[in-house]
Amino acid sequence: MTITLELLAPFSGPAIPLERVPDPVFAGLMMGDGLAVEPMSSTLLAPCKGTVGQLARTGHALTLIADGGVEVLIHIGIDTVKLAGQGFRPLVAVGDRVAAGQPLVEVDLDAVARRAPSLQTMVVVADAERFCFTGRAEGWLEAGRSPLLTLTAREAASSGASADGPEREGEAVVGHEGGLHARPSARVQQAVKAFASEVIVEFGGKQANARSVMALMSLGVAERDTVAVRARGADAEAALAAVVSVLETHSAAGHAPVAVHAAPAVAGRLAGVAAAPGLAIGRVVRLDVFDMALPEAGAGALAERERLSAALRAVRERVQHGIDAALRRGATAESDIFAAHLALLDDPELLAAAERGIDSGAGAGLACRLAIRAQCAVLAGLGNQLLAERVADLKDIERQLLVAMYGEPEQGPALFDASILVAEDLAPSALTRLPRAKVAGIVTAAGGASGHVAILARALGIPALVACGPDALSLTPGQALILDARAGLVNPRPSEAELDDAAVEIARLAARERALQASAKGPAITLDGAAIEVAVNIANADDAREGVAHGADAVGLLRTEFLFIDRREAPTEDEQTEAYQAVLDALDGRNAIIRTLDIGGDKDVPYLQLPPEPNPALGLRGIRTGFAYPDMLDAQLRALLRVKPLSRLRILVPMIADVGELIRLRGRIEALAGEMGLAERPQLGVMIEVPSAALLADQLAKHADFLSIGSNDLTQYTLAMDRCNAALAARIDALHPSLLRLIAIAVDGASKHGKWVGVCGAMASDPQAVPVLIGLGVAELSVSPRLVPEVKNLVRGLSLQQCRGEAERLLALNSAQAVRARITELWPAA
């Protein structure tokens, strides 16, 4: 073998083995073999002479084609693509010939370090299996001078692989609810971006490039369909495995789904699908399909391609800003939808079609419209309602691109104080840019209950009726309507009497809410004098204020995950203390239970090197993750111990399986409190989420101050049914007798040491479960803010003595259905 290539250090700084990089794609050598450098200089230098083969539009990554055709990928930092080019200034362009040591990219190290999980820069040889790495640097490197990697070519080996790499084949049973619609297709696209190999998905005699969201959607793949997957290239095996894994992952088609209710035809009424419940009176505001006039001829291919590129950059930036803003508000439904839009903007087949139109002489706008409308026709003709509903997303992308090219053609719609938006279909961006206070309802001719606007309407609490047919487009601007999304009907010409009746019903519902609200400030006391605390589950200080406004007695669960996810670095101790203190300050003297971080392989936390797990629910999560990352756990515990007053703080620990874990954590709290010179200690509680914790409740209660039942996880672990599996949804019932028996054991174990038990899972919000839980001895129920008045009202109508006697008898029943049937007989109002 002879030496064929020596790569020099691209930055000054210490060399780092690729396996230690905090990114599973690089650490797992999925992109190829190589080394990383922790940059201490600000200019990226070429590690060898060659040609710039690729340059990311964001400037954070590039590929050099070295002599002999060796592809060298240089990736600056982890997750730096999300910075959208901020902090990077490329000094070369694709096709440039460069010398070893030549400056390639200027990097603002401070700016990037503040926003990226890591600055570690990877230098990777894509076709690594062709080479032996005879030299790997260690220790400190000088940019452009120190050898980083030395490669020697292997002797050519005979194999069946093609010239561009081996080929691998496999199958996947698609697990996404609704099949390969926009968001699952975007996830496949994102997965394949990590690999150099070509990946093709085949179904029904058609094939699609896995890098194209549109091509994937156009296959018409439904949930549980089997697709073939082929990968070809140096990393074909890893690419195939990654794409198959994403295809088989279960995901729901929408957030907070509602039962789809298509109303029967009623004379004089417009019927549709109830996508978001509610009753509203308002006036029609037409938001018709966007269709601006466009120039047919272009000003030359070069100018029109630049016009398209500029529009793409502008819209990408706007969409990314929308994603970031939604994540800051905790609006995950909105962020997921716009993430799918971002994937459409990077779709290679859509872009190629638009560029072909430009090359044939069309203007960029017309070429873009024709490319998008052709794909709309494909989706609409597949006979798949979910995919047909994505036409609105494509038209939304079209509108935004055309506005970026030619400007907004007209002012936004004039709104009434109570506006009912009417359109053929509504673009998500059209809804989110309107003031929520003036939107009373939505009526669309097309769309469906799983459409992106329906998802947003549910999240925003806006009554919505979709799929009403062409008659919806006969509604005229300013026309008064009664929208009853509960019944799936629109009254397009209500009489004065009908308007009065609807107003009376709206007022009645509002009065009931006010009456419940008025009494919600008082305690929830049963008919025979037992006080039950009704607390609130929250994610931040705003939720805490809402809970107080709705009469919550305390915070029963503050999930701290909101501070840790959807960001590029862990929150500092000061950030955490500020957030926790804000919650206590918002409670006007009430107590708060704050749960330590419950995170694992089921959540995307890029700055933690969480291993991929075949079953995240049974892997590293909850306190197990805390013990695996002791510095992060200590930072959170110190932040909690800094809040004032500590007497109002209760720390809750998730996923405790035995008493040893609790003793270990209490010891850590004691040590930290001692270091901080604290004389006071907060109460410490244990979440009962796994059967072992319920069975050992007497041991746990000896060392804990209280127990809190996480019924969601306890249900899935007890019944061995994944709560995210739609096929099992009807069978996963917390009122199963086995769950009730475990709760009874936990309460009994806690009572031996005089400790109380609460419930913070969804079971506490189930009206039928409330009398049973009270009867089993539960002292606290923690629910969402808006349910506090309802739950308090329910408790006040119950007798503790009756609940106790009946709960004991319910334990002897043999199914959740039998339990619910008996509850209906005993407490019909529940």
Side-chain angles (χ1 to χ4, degrees), residues 444-501:
T444 65
S450 55
H452 284 165
V453 165
I455 294 169
L456 286 178
R458 291 195 288 272
L460 296 171
I462 301 173
L465 203 62
V466 298
C468 297
D471 287 347
L473 302 181
S474 65
L475 299 171
T476 58
Q479 180 178 349
L481 299 180
I482 297 174
L483 168 59
D484 188 352
R486 305 168 305 173
L489 297 171
V490 170
N491 185 344
R493 293 177 179 78
S495 65
E496 288 298 325
E498 288 168 331
L499 286 169
D500 289 343
D501 288 345

Side-chain angles (χ1 to χ4, degrees), residues 718-797:
T718 302
L719 300 180
M721 295 181 185
D722 186 348
R723 58 190 171 113
C724 296
N725 188 326
L728 298 173
R731 299 179 59 192
I732 302 175
D733 193 330
L735 282 174
H736 193 283
S738 62
L739 266 294
L740 300 184
R741 292 187 182 195
L742 283 175
I743 293 171
I745 291 170
V747 172
D748 182 63
S751 68
K752 292 177 180 177
H753 300 280
K755 308 295 172 61
W756 61 271
V757 178
V759 176
C760 60
M763 191 179 188
S765 301
D766 183 346
Q768 288 199 308
V770 169
V772 184
L773 292 173
I774 291 174
L776 292 174
V778 168
E780 179 235 43
L781 302 169
S782 193
V783 301
S784 63
R786 293 183 179 275
L787 284 177
V788 171
E790 289 277 0
V791 173
K792 283 194 171 185
N793 184 61
L794 176 57
V795 170
R796 292 173 185 139

Side-chain angles (χ1 to χ4, degrees), residues 253-274:
H255 298 267
V258 296
V260 176
H261 172 63
V266 176
R269 300 291 187 271
L270 187 65
V273 173

Side-chain angles (χ1 to χ4, degrees), residues 296-629:
E296 291 190 10
L302 187 62
E304 295 301 325
R305 277 176 176 260
E306 178 52 38
R307 186 195 298 271
L308 176 60
S309 296
L312 286 165
R313 287 193 298 270
V315 177
R316 284 190 191 106
E317 183 176 346
R318 188 180 307 124
V319 172
Q320 185 62 59
H321 177 76
I323 292 171
D324 293 342
L327 289 175
R328 285 194 296 272
R329 298 195 310 272
T332 54
E334 189 175 328
S335 70
D336 284 352
I337 290 165
F338 291 134
H341 284 196
L342 200 60
L344 288 171
L345 287 165
D346 285 330
D347 191 289
E349 295 205 1
L350 272 181
L351 298 181
E355 288 173 350
R356 286 194 298 270
I358 289 173
D359 292 342
S360 68
L366 181 61
C368 183
R369 171 179 287 171
L370 292 174
I372 289 176
R373 297 283 173 98
Q375 291 294 347
C376 288
V378 170
L379 293 185
L382 287 173
N384 181 313
Q385 177 62 27
L386 188 59
L387 293 177
E389 290 166 10
R390 296 304 174 251
V391 168
D393 295 300
L394 282 168
K395 290 184 178 178
D396 196 2
I397 291 295
E398 175 192 322
R399 180 195 183 284
Q400 293 184 71
L401 287 171
L402 296 183
V403 168
M405 292 181 199
Y406 306 109
E408 187 74 58
E410 58 185 31
Q411 296 297 318
L415 298 179
F416 301 98
D417 288 339
S419 302
I420 294 182
L421 309 179
V422 176
E424 179 180 356
D425 204 352
L426 201 57
S429 66
L431 178 58
T432 55
R433 67 174 178 264
L434 296 176
R436 169 66 185 90
K438 291 195 171 185
V439 179
I442 296 169
V443 175
T444 65
S450 55
H452 284 165
V453 165
I455 294 169
L456 286 178
R458 291 195 288 272
L460 296 171
I462 301 173
L465 203 62
V466 298
C468 297
D471 287 347
L473 302 181
S474 65
L475 299 171
T476 58
Q479 180 178 349
L481 299 180
I482 297 174
L483 168 59
D484 188 352
R486 305 168 305 173
L489 297 171
V490 170
N491 185 344
R493 293 177 179 78
S495 65
E496 288 298 325
E498 288 168 331
L499 286 169
D500 289 343
D501 288 345
V504 168
E505 175 64 6
I506 292 172
R508 185 190 70 79
L509 294 173
R512 182 179 183 275
E513 286 189 16
R514 286 194 300 272
L516 292 177
Q517 184 64 53
S519 62
K521 298 289 185 182
I525 300 176
T526 65
L527 296 171
D528 44 0
I532 303 297
E533 183 173 84
V534 180
V536 65
N537 296 332
I538 66 169
N540 51 45
D542 288 339
D543 289 351
R545 281 184 280 272
E546 185 181 4
V548 170
H550 284 85
D553 299 323
V555 165
L557 175 64
L558 167 65
R559 300 178 179 91
T560 59
E561 292 76 51
F562 78 98
L563 279 172
F564 289 80
I565 61 176
D566 297 321
R567 56 185 295 157
R568 299 176 180 90
E569 68 284 320
T572 65
E573 184 179 319
D574 287 342
E575 280 183 277
Q576 293 187 62
T577 298
E578 182 180 355
Y580 305 148
Q581 188 65 57
V583 168
L584 259 68
D585 292 345
L587 290 177
D588 293 336
R590 296 166 178 81
N591 296 327
I593 296 176
I594 300 181
R595 184 175 68 186
T596 59
L597 183 62
D598 184 8
I599 214 161
D602 59 330
K603 296 183 177 72
D604 182 22
V605 187
Y607 50 86
L608 294 183
Q609 297 182 52
L610 295 172
E613 299 189 65
N615 191 339
L618 298 179
L620 196 66
R621 57 166 295 196
I623 194 58
R624 302 168 192 165
T625 305
F627 289 149
Y629 292 88

Side-chain angles (χ1 to χ4, degrees), residues 686-751:
V686 172
M687 283 200 80
I688 305 297
E689 299 171 276
V690 297
S692 66
L695 294 170
L696 298 175
D698 58 335
Q699 296 181 10
L700 293 170
K702 184 178 180 181
H703 299 274
D705 298 300
F706 65 95
L707 307 180
S708 184
I709 293 168
S711 60
N712 302 353
D713 272 325
L714 186 60
T715 302
Q716 77 165 345
Y717 292 132
T718 302
L719 300 180
M721 295 181 185
D722 186 348
R723 58 190 171 113
C724 296
N725 188 326
L728 298 173
R731 299 179 59 192
I732 302 175
D733 193 330
L735 282 174
H736 193 283
S738 62
L739 266 294
L740 300 184
R741 292 187 182 195
L742 283 175
I743 293 171
I745 291 170
V747 172
D748 182 63
S751 68

